[in-house]
Amino acid sequence: MGEIGIDLSSHRSKSVNEFLGRDIDYVVTVCDQARETCPFFPGGKEYIHQGFADPSALTGPEEDVLAGYRRVRDEIKDWVEKTFRNK
């Protein structure tokens, strides 16, 4: 993500419990497994799903795996920009 100017160094995974009791405008899932196992968010106003390939499943030479991660990253970035541009 740093390659495209997005610093995630202060981000962390969060438990769904951190969001209980909060109003949530959008619940977004980006992989089919998450869509099947993602918990229900009470108060979620809109649920949006867009499936992308799971880059963690990639195997092969490091440069091929890295290229796959970049491809999925760029697909997600493009989708987010198009989907949320006017929201």
Side-chain angles (χ1 to χ4, degrees):
M1 296 300 293
E3 292 178 348
I4 61 170
I6 299 173
D7 179 11
L8 298 178
S9 63
S10 65
H11 292 247
R12 63 179 176 79
S13 295
K14 298 167 189 74
S15 166
V16 68
N17 294 334
E18 292 184 49
F19 300 96
L20 295 176
R22 296 173 70 180
D23 287 333
I24 298 172
D25 292 325
Y26 300 99
V27 175
V28 178
T29 56
V30 295
C31 73
D32 292 328
Q33 181 181 359
R35 185 177 194 184
E36 299 299 322
T37 61
C38 190
F40 175 73
F41 281 85
K45 295 176 184 149
E46 187 173 346
Y47 287 77
I48 301 170
H49 174 75
Q50 176 64 45
F52 294 94
D54 180 359
S56 69
L58 296 171
T59 60
E62 183 177 351
E63 64 269 8
D64 292 346
V65 172
L66 186 54
Y69 269 90
R70 288 176 174 141
R71 178 183 50 76
V72 173
R73 174 203 63 200
D74 294 343
E75 289 173 0
I76 293 171
K77 180 180 181 286
D78 291 343
W79 176 78
V80 166
E81 288 173 349
K82 289 175 189 169
T83 303
F84 296 99
R85 178 174 289 134
N86 295 317
K87 292 198 181 247

